Amino acid sequence: DENVTLSPGCHLHPFNVSIRSDQRGTCRGTHLAHACVGYCESSAFPSRYSVLVASNFTHNITSASRCCTIAKEAKVKVRLECPGGRHHDELEILTAKACRCDMCRTSRY
Amino acid sequence: TALHSFRGCAVREFTFVAQKPGCKGLRVTTEACWGRCHTWERPVLDPPYIHRHHRVCTYAVTRYASARLPGCQPGISPLYHYPVAVQCHCAVCTTLDSEC
């Protein structure tokens, strides 16, 4: 509900996954999966002297941060409908089951 | 807005003890960054299977200030330089200038 999405913290957020499969992309399926979306606390402040020394005086700022992460995930099977209804494919996708404000990762993915 | 429900990233007062070997410590009050940034993780079909958007509240515009530490031994500079946040924003933590 809206109050949960607007309040700080890291929450399950439903979204539709659309899949087109087989080599020619002719089988299709959609499924409701969950992402984790939210607002976690973070701060940045002057680094301690030991951090300055260890980084050769480059890391002047220390970041203490939490980001919204998937704490628990599950696989769900999505049934793909193929043209003519002659056969069906099944595909596994991931969905979030629990969310948590946890360590931030700097990678793009 | 109450702090417990604040979303976004703002300049906030911050007090720390400036300390280095050969001098006594000094309490310094400065401006730093604090807040809650919009972050998410979403499963995707292809490797690495999780698409991530992680941003942290950090310095956007920085100026530097110096404190004069007390009780320094001879030959030790009493100056202690530290960053002051002029503006903060939600951004990727960069190891160029930050301990992430």
Side-chain angles (χ1 to χ4, degrees):
Chain A
D1 80 67
E2 199 161 295
N3 284 331
V4 170
T5 7
L6 289 178
S7 72
C10 175
H11 310 284
L12 286 171
H13 179 81
F15 70 104
N16 265 316
V17 190
S18 296
I19 305 162
R20 297 178 67 140
S21 184
D22 89 358
Q23 278 73 15
R24 290 145 76 189
T26 49
C27 302
R28 296 168 182 213
T30 58
H31 200 277
L32 191 71
H34 284 89
C36 290
V37 181
Y39 291 84
C40 303
E41 221 172 293
S42 64
S43 61
F45 43 83
S47 296
R48 297 171 62 94
Y49 194 75
S50 57
V51 172
L52 293 176
V53 170
S55 68
N56 199 21
F57 291 88
T58 59
H59 294 179
N60 302 303
I61 295 161
T62 293
S63 167
S65 304
R66 288 285 176 264
C67 288
C68 189
T69 68
I70 297 175
K72 205 173 135 197
E73 62 192 21
K75 286 177 179 167
V76 285
K77 286 198 169 82
V78 181
R79 194 175 156 91
L80 303 180
E81 301 289 337
C82 301
R86 285 173 56 96
H87 70 287
H88 303 280
D89 275 353
E90 263 193 349
L91 200 81
E92 277 194 336
I93 60 163
L94 288 175
T95 185
K97 297 297 270 182
C99 305
R100 184 170 61 206
C101 287
D102 203 353
M103 203 174 75
C104 298
R105 291 167 207 272
T106 46
S107 63
R108 218 158 64 88
Y109 286 99
Chain B
T1 311
L3 280 185
H4 73 270
S5 62
F6 175 77
R7 292 184 299 159
C9 171
V11 173
R12 191 180 180 186
E13 193 178 280
F14 179 81
T15 300
F16 68 105
V17 178
Q19 214 159 18
K20 66 175 180 180
C23 299
K24 287 185 175 152
L26 178 71
R27 271 177 88 83
V28 174
T29 295
T30 181
E31 309 267 78
C33 300
W34 181 86
R36 294 188 185 90
C37 296
H38 187 238
T39 55
W40 49 261
E41 280 187 2
R42 178 169 66 91
V44 288
L45 292 173
D46 301 309
Y49 303 110
I50 300 286
H51 191 182
R52 182 175 285 142
H53 179 85
H54 282 182
R55 300 288 182 271
V56 303
C57 181
T58 191
Y59 295 51
V61 180
T62 311
R63 69 178 177 85
Y64 280 84
S66 303
R68 190 168 283 273
L69 302 187
C72 294
Q73 290 167 10
I76 305 278
S77 165
L79 291 182
Y80 189 98
H81 305 286
Y82 59 91
V84 181
V86 178
Q87 259 177 53
C88 302
H89 64 169
C90 291
V92 172
C93 192
T94 167
T95 53
L96 286 177
D97 64 3
S98 303
E99 185 80 3
C100 296

